[in-house]
Amino acid sequence: MTITRQVAERSTCLRAKVGAVIVRDKNILATGYNGSPAGLPHCLDVGCLIYKSQTPTGEMEENCFRTIHAEINAIAQAAKNGAVIRDASIYITHTPCIHCFKVLINTGIVRICYEKEYKLQTIEPLLEYTPQVQLQRVE
């Protein structure tokens, strides 16, 4: 988690610093942090592009169009560099959002380790259908 926290420090998001590290057999395969796509303006420089949406339970959420989440950036880095992440673990500073969780399932990640809970209730209903994925809090 120490490396994951250090990766999070590179975040260009004004709202949260999130880091992700994909690992297999004690080897780092890819890292990611939340921020804008390469070559595009960052929230730190030009501000966030916030949009509001409503969850199925009626709760209002605010998200940023400008930012790519740390997990997706780590997956993109692995793809760009040809790293196979099937059966790997991912360490994340926060629990993944529902969208990142679904992508992690599809990539074949088998273990998701997180430090801080973030909207955990949104992914809990999916956990019963994904016995191949282990969600684990670590310090």
Side-chain angles (χ1 to χ4, degrees):
M1 287 308 297
T2 301
I3 295 171
T4 304
R5 283 186 227 108
Q6 289 175 333
V7 170
E9 288 302 312
R10 293 185 50 85
S11 171
T12 60
C13 176
L14 296 170
R15 297 166 9 116
K17 290 187 175 293
V18 181
V21 178
I22 301 174
V23 176
R24 187 182 331 94
D25 300 326
K26 298 183 180 182
N27 290 304
I28 294 174
L29 303 175
T31 64
Y33 53 88
N34 52 337
S36 298
L40 297 182
H42 293 279
C43 297
L44 284 174
D45 301 323
V46 294
C48 295
L49 286 175
I50 300 296
Y51 68 94
K52 294 181 181 183
S53 61
Q54 188 173 351
T55 69
T57 62
E59 185 180 349
M60 290 303 292
E61 282 190 341
E62 289 187 353
N63 292 289
C64 180
F65 277 122
R66 196 177 307 283
T67 300
I68 298 174
H69 290 186
E71 302 92 324
I72 303 301
N73 271 327
I75 292 165
Q77 183 187 71
K80 184 177 178 179
N81 294 323
V84 177
I85 60 173
R86 183 185 305 116
D87 298 325
S89 298
I90 188 167
Y91 290 81
I92 316 167
T93 54
H94 299 67
T95 49
C97 73
I98 185 76
H99 306 293
C100 289
F101 183 70
K102 292 183 287 186
V103 172
L104 291 170
I105 291 167
N106 272 2
T107 62
I109 294 282
V110 293
R111 187 167 163 242
I112 301 170
C113 301
Y114 67 93
E115 183 175 44
K116 299 173 190 164
E117 288 185 6
Y118 172 77
K119 299 182 183 180
L120 183 58
Q121 73 281 2
T122 62
I123 64 172
E124 283 177 335
L126 297 180
L127 289 172
E128 68 178 277
Y129 301 105
T130 56
Q132 74 279 14
V133 178
Q134 177 188 4
L135 184 67
Q136 176 183 1
R137 185 172 188 168
V138 295
E139 310 249 338

